[in-house]
Amino acid sequence: MPRGASGVLARVVALACVAAHVTTMAAAPLPGQTANGNNLPVLGDVARVDLSPALERKVGEQIMNDIRHDRDYLDDAPILEYLNGLGTTLVQAAPGARGETNADYGFFAVRDPMLNAFALPGGFIGVHTALMIAAQNESELAGVMAHEVGHVAQRHIARGIGKEKQDAMIPLAAMLLAALAAKSNPDAAMGVFMGGQGLAIQRQLNFSRDAEREADRVGFQIMNAAGFDVSGLVSFFGKLQAATRMFPDIPPSLLSHPLTTERMADMQARIRETPYKQRQDSLDFHLVRARAKVLQDETVNGQDEARHFLDEWVRAPSRQLQIAGQYGLAFLAYRHGDLATAQTLLDKSRALAKQAPKPGVFALDITANGDGGAIFASLAIDIKLAAAQPKAVQEEGVKLADRARGDYPLSRGLSRQYADGLITTGHLDQATRFLREEAQLYRSDAKVQELLAKAYAAQGKIALQHLALAESYALTGGTMGALDQLALARKAKDASFYDMAVIDARERELQARRRDEVKEQKENGGP
């Protein structure tokens, strides 16, 4: 890296390596692999010797707990729901995509200006905002995500550790150290990570290239099974190569997805043998790209650049880009508190989406999943529930959220907006009833517990507030924070006999978890 590179760029490269290195620690395909109905190789028990599926998932969850607390983790419901919807479409199209571990995939976004995507242990797959914005069509984005699914399905992490256990565990442990160090000192984070990686990278690099080729093949099969244009994978390879040329001094060992002419040629040969499939992009794809552009850089210059970028979309010949451009400008206005302008632009975007298309142009139905309805509704609700709105407008927002969650029952974001609206408008008993039901249905949803704590706080129910916060912390890996919240709940004057019994039981469970965590840290050489 050039000496003059900024701290931001150092952090970008460090985080890209931290997250993506796990997809490059892979051995060559093992002898005797069999194939399932989708011709996806199935690994034998040898791959499980040193990293069990349960441990792989646990490591991934620990890393995700740190990532979710990082400022660059993009906690945006429409984007998260879109990525998980697209990822589920890919995985369900090819039964072998879940691999022998039946991986439970989770897809998320990271605010980052570098073109990259990465797979973590246990099926967690991250996509950089820059990659989402740069994808010219949905098949390009699907191709990158399918490639990462290929890494998970083939258990490249477990295979790498199985072959080179000692070498592989060094960078795996360094991942967490670098992720934590990056929050306060990006240059130190780069040093921490390279200190661990440098011991193993040269011996792992050849395996890395084998893993990339294997992920290409698996991703290609998944894309084809899901009905996407398989040329999207190759076209995005071109973008990645162009991005790589922008940073020629970065050592090849730092590139999370080393590109070669051999890989390009292999994919192009496969494309020639595959019937062409034309696939219309969903409107959701372009709307989330617009949101990602607004959220990627929140500095003044970044927001100005986003405005110019979206203005170009409004003037583009593509109707979908025009709709997304207006929507993005509406979202930008909302983020800056200009609610009247946001509502006007959102109305224009929705009206354009409803217009009868010209002959030969794809017709949009914004009430259908994938064609913008839920994303439009989410922004409309946000505008109406904004703190600056009159109470009557906020009440309209609650009614809109209630209708929207009925229209899109799979949207967790819309359900949470409805709950937040009930709290905002003072319907606290209704909010707590709804959230308790949600907590029973979605036991791993930490945000439901956060909202429940907010509702209890507004009601003055202090013990229940701290109990809900304890559950939220426990769900996101904050065992000590959860125990602290239970201690506060115990001290609350309104704690009932039943509350105390719940506190006692939950405290015992979390103390046992904490003892296990401390034991693991000592066994792994931690403090």
Side-chain angles (χ1 to χ4, degrees):
M1 183 181 298
R3 178 65 180 167
S6 68
V8 173
L9 178 58
R11 182 172 184 273
V12 166
V13 176
L15 288 179
C17 295
V18 165
H21 175 71
V22 294
T23 69
T24 65
M25 301 189 299
L30 299 175
Q33 289 179 352
T34 59
N36 56 26
N38 283 323
N39 297 317
L40 303 185
V42 176
L43 305 180
D45 287 343
V46 174
R48 293 199 297 264
V49 169
D50 293 294
L51 189 64
S52 70
L55 179 56
E56 189 176 351
R57 180 72 181 188
K58 187 173 183 179
V59 170
E61 288 174 345
Q62 290 174 341
I63 297 171
M64 281 304 303
N65 285 335
D66 282 327
I67 289 176
R68 290 190 186 102
H69 289 97
D70 191 276
R71 63 186 178 184
D72 287 333
Y73 171 73
L74 199 54
D75 189 9
D76 182 77
I79 291 178
L80 289 172
E81 289 180 1
Y82 169 77
L83 289 176
N84 279 280
L86 178 58
T88 299
T89 297
L90 292 167
V91 171
Q92 289 181 343
R98 294 196 182 275
E100 61 172 332
T101 64
N102 194 29
D104 183 14
Y105 287 90
F107 301 84
F108 63 97
V110 175
R111 187 185 285 107
D112 200 301
M114 180 172 284
L115 299 184
N116 199 21
F118 52 88
L120 296 174
F124 298 99
I125 292 176
V127 181
H128 287 193
T129 49
L131 188 147
M132 297 171 62
I133 297 164
Q136 295 299 301
N137 57 65
E138 204 161 18
S139 289
E140 288 189 349
L141 178 58
V144 175
M145 291 173 64
H147 172 95
E148 299 303 330
V149 169
H151 280 301
V152 175
Q154 299 308 107
R155 300 204 67 212
H156 286 152
I157 301 165
R159 290 164 60 184
I161 291 176
K163 283 284 185 180
E164 301 285 350
K165 180 177 179 181
Q166 185 174 356
D167 282 350
M169 289 306 292
I170 294 171
L172 193 60
M175 290 166 63
L176 282 173
L177 290 173
L180 292 172
K183 294 175 184 176
S184 57
N185 189 335
D187 296 312
M190 189 65 174
V192 169
F193 184 75
M194 286 306 298
Q197 191 188 35
L199 298 176
I201 190 63
Q202 290 304 321
R203 279 174 283 180
Q204 294 290 351
L205 188 56
N206 290 334
F207 294 153
S208 163
R209 289 169 178 160
D210 288 335
E212 292 302 321
R213 286 192 292 268
E214 188 172 63
D216 290 341
R217 292 192 293 270
V218 173
F220 185 95
Q221 294 171 32
I222 292 171
M223 278 189 77
N224 192 40
F228 286 93
D229 177 6
V230 292
S231 66
L233 187 56
V234 171
S235 63
F236 208 85
F237 274 175
K239 290 183 174 65
L240 290 174
Q241 280 192 320
T244 301
R245 286 194 291 270
M246 293 175 63
F247 305 102
D249 295 325
I250 297 177
S253 60
L254 289 186
L255 299 177
S256 62
H257 299 281
L259 292 165
T260 64
T261 54
E262 178 187 355
R263 286 177 63 194
M264 296 281 283
D266 181 50
M267 289 296 100
Q268 288 168 343
R270 290 173 183 273
I271 289 172
R272 288 192 292 269
E273 298 172 359
T274 304
Y276 173 68
K277 293 179 181 178
Q278 184 175 13
R279 182 185 176 100
Q280 176 69 35
D281 292 341
S282 71
L283 182 56
D284 280 4
F285 166 69
H286 294 290
L287 295 181
V288 298
R289 290 174 67 211
R291 287 184 76 94
K293 185 62 181 179
V294 172
L295 295 171
Q296 177 171 292
D297 185 350
E298 295 179 306
T299 66
V300 173
N301 289 338
Q303 296 292 277
D304 286 342
E305 198 275 330
R307 183 176 290 105
H308 293 313
F309 182 91
L310 294 166
D311 278 334
E312 291 182 4
W313 276 14
V314 172
R315 296 190 295 270
S318 164
R319 183 160 167 258
Q320 286 187 321
L321 284 183
Q322 293 171 17
I323 295 167
Q326 293 278 16
Y327 170 85
L329 291 171
F331 183 51
L332 186 63
Y334 162 74
R335 298 268 300 175
H336 287 267
D338 189 350
L339 302 179
T341 299
Q343 187 64 61
T344 299
L345 291 169
L346 178 60
D347 291 342
K348 287 182 179 179
S349 180
R350 299 183 84 166
L352 182 58
K354 291 179 179 178
Q355 284 180 8
K358 297 177 181 179
V361 177
F362 181 77
L364 297 174
D365 176 7
I366 64 169
T367 64
N369 286 320
D371 287 308
I375 299 176
F376 281 134
S378 178
L379 181 53
I381 295 164
D382 279 339
I383 293 171
K384 290 187 180 298
L385 291 178
Q389 295 283 25
K391 180 70 175 296
V393 175
Q394 292 178 337
E395 292 284 2
E396 291 176 8
V398 174
K399 293 177 182 177
L400 178 58
D402 196 17
R403 290 196 300 271
R405 73 184 183 92
D407 292 337
Y408 305 97
L410 297 181
S411 173
R412 302 293 307 123
L414 290 174
S415 292
R416 290 194 290 265
Q417 282 181 295
Y418 171 63
D420 199 31
L422 290 174
I423 298 170
T424 299
T425 53
H427 301 291
L428 301 177
D429 290 340
Q430 189 177 349
T432 53
R433 284 196 301 270
F434 175 72
L435 286 167
R436 283 197 297 265
E437 292 173 359
E438 291 285 287
Q440 289 297 314
L441 289 171
Y442 305 99
R443 295 179 181 275
S444 61
D445 191 337
K447 290 188 177 299
V448 168
Q449 296 292 344
E450 290 175 14
L451 284 169
L452 194 53
K454 182 179 178 180
Y456 283 140
Q459 290 178 314
K461 297 179 178 179
I462 307 304
L464 292 177
Q465 173 195 355
H466 289 299
L467 273 168
L469 284 174
E471 291 306 315
S472 174
Y473 286 132
L475 287 169
T476 54
T479 307
M480 288 302 298
L483 287 168
D484 289 342
Q485 290 298 319
L486 289 177
L488 291 172
R490 185 186 297 281
K491 295 176 183 178
K493 294 180 180 180
D494 61 344
S496 67
F497 177 80
Y498 175 77
D499 294 336
M500 295 299 290
V502 172
I503 293 168
D504 287 341
R506 198 69 179 104
E507 202 168 48
R508 286 193 294 270
E509 293 173 1
L510 291 173
Q511 285 171 345
R513 181 200 288 186
R514 181 58 186 161
R515 286 194 294 271
D516 290 340
E517 291 172 351
V518 171
K519 181 180 178 181
E520 284 183 10
Q521 288 175 354
K522 290 181 178 179
E523 289 176 349
N524 294 327

